Amino acid sequence: MTITATVPRAAAYRGRLRWWTELPLIAVIYALYSGARLLVRGDVGDAVEHGADILHFEQILHLDPERWFNRLFTHHAFLGVPADFAYASLHYIVTPAVLVWLWRRRPTHYRMARTWLMISTLIGLIGFTLVPTAPPRLLPGGHGFIDTMAQYGSYGWWGTDASAPRGMGHLTNQYAAMPSLHVGWSLWCGLMLFRYGRNWFVRTLGVIYPLMTAFVVMGTANHYLLDAAAGVAVMGIGYLLARPALRYTDRVQARARKALGREQEEGSSLVAASSSSSSVDGSPVPASSMEGGSPAGAALLADGDTPAGSGPAPDGPKGGGTVPVQRPVSVPRGTGEGDGDGPDEAAERAFPPGEHAGRSSRMS
């Protein structure tokens, strides 16, 4: 037997997400990241000491390629200038572009990817707070690093304060080198492109982009190799925490919806109770309730009573005058002889045989 499963349409998943909620959420996370990154500057002396310790540890492990890349970008402008442009702009362009691409083309994976990126960003913020670190370009001159952003500043909008526009260096924290979210975000973008890209070109970009970013951050003397490694580790931790965070969020939302539904049900019950009590307090009762055929209703239609809608009737056997126009009323039948003044007798009093003879032999 063949079992076929219907794959949900992508639009169905996108319909659960709204851009007017997603966009403010991302903006709040980014503003929190940027604001805290700016406010948590740390002590300059401690930041320089942390940077020197990282470099010394890399030298012990013989894993200090920062100087080689920095000399390469410094001596060759055709490498240094594009690297500076990449460092100053791609960080803020590619990541949002990949988010929008996931939203439109892979909506079933967007929520997980977005949560992964946000959690990793917040973890990086904790790293900036606990371990303020001076980048290689801000170490004392004896370490031999050159700030390529300052060297090629005339080619772009940046000055001597990293990638900040000229005159706005006070709006950035230059001692937030550990971990490198340039590398972390580029790794996230590369994984998204490689995993969900449909052609070889997109997947190739997914491989090249994070590698290029790692070379750029070291060649421009903005990060150490261990900063790049820490950025990768942060993304790994964020990935492990993303699914539990989504499950917890879904549980909270389900409880909130359940509580809201219970409140709405209670409100509906109160409205129904108030409406039913109003009919007892003297509010008009619909006329249709009088047509159900109760004995009391039939008794009200006795001779001489003229209900609404009655009019003159043709002369009957007794001469002129008007008789009430009576509508058929359903009356329960009696249980037989000996019932006394039961429903059948009440019906006979309400409808004497002579007055409705010939109209109908059965009332229902």
Side-chain angles (χ1 to χ4, degrees), residues 55-253:
L55 185 61
H56 180 65
F57 182 72
E58 290 182 354
Q59 290 172 346
I60 294 175
L61 299 177
H62 300 285
L63 295 174
D64 54 337
E66 299 91 345
R67 284 192 181 90
W68 185 85
F69 282 113
N70 185 239
R71 286 195 299 267
L72 184 66
F73 287 7
T74 301
H75 296 159
H76 302 284
F78 72 93
L79 294 176
V81 173
D84 289 342
F85 273 101
Y87 182 83
S89 60
L90 294 184
H91 185 57
Y92 308 103
I93 297 175
V94 177
T95 307
V98 172
L99 274 172
V100 173
W101 175 71
L102 288 173
W103 169 276
R104 296 189 58 83
R105 297 298 182 89
R106 299 292 184 270
T108 57
H109 305 286
Y110 168 81
R111 190 165 176 254
M112 169 63 186
R114 174 258 286 162
T115 305
W116 175 13
L117 180 65
M118 290 183 175
I119 292 177
S120 302
T121 301
L122 295 177
I123 296 174
L125 175 59
I126 296 174
F128 301 152
T129 306
L130 298 180
V131 189
T133 305
R137 63 185 178 81
L138 293 182
L139 292 179
H143 292 85
F145 290 99
I146 297 176
D147 187 355
T148 62
M149 303 291 291
Q151 180 183 2
Y152 301 118
S154 60
Y155 290 90
W157 59 86
W158 56 86
T160 59
D161 302 313
S163 59
R166 293 184 183 89
M168 300 180 65
H170 62 284
L171 297 179
T172 185
N173 178 12
Q174 300 188 69
Y175 300 99
M178 172 66 76
S180 173
L181 286 185
H182 273 79
V183 174
W185 285 14
S186 67
L187 176 64
W188 177 87
C189 293
L191 290 173
M192 295 300 102
L193 294 175
F194 185 82
R195 174 64 180 83
Y196 302 117
R198 291 184 176 178
N199 56 68
W200 66 268
F201 179 75
V202 175
R203 293 184 176 182
T204 302
L205 288 179
V207 175
I208 293 176
Y209 180 58
L211 294 176
M212 180 197 70
T213 302
F215 298 151
V216 164
V217 299
M218 289 187 291
T220 56
N222 280 289
H223 288 284
Y224 307 93
L225 177 62
L226 287 184
D227 292 346
V232 174
V234 162
M235 298 308 298
I237 297 173
Y239 176 78
L240 295 177
L241 296 178
R243 293 186 185 279
L246 282 177
R247 288 195 293 267
Y248 176 76
T249 302
D250 290 340
R251 285 198 298 267
V252 171
Q253 291 178 349

Side-chain angles (χ1 to χ4, degrees), residues 291-334:
E291 298 177 2
S294 64
L300 291 176
L301 298 178
D303 290 341
D305 294 335
T306 305
S310 62
D315 294 341
K318 296 181 181 181
T322 61
V323 295
V325 177
Q326 299 163 348
R327 289 173 292 181
V329 178
S330 176
V331 180
R333 295 192 176 188

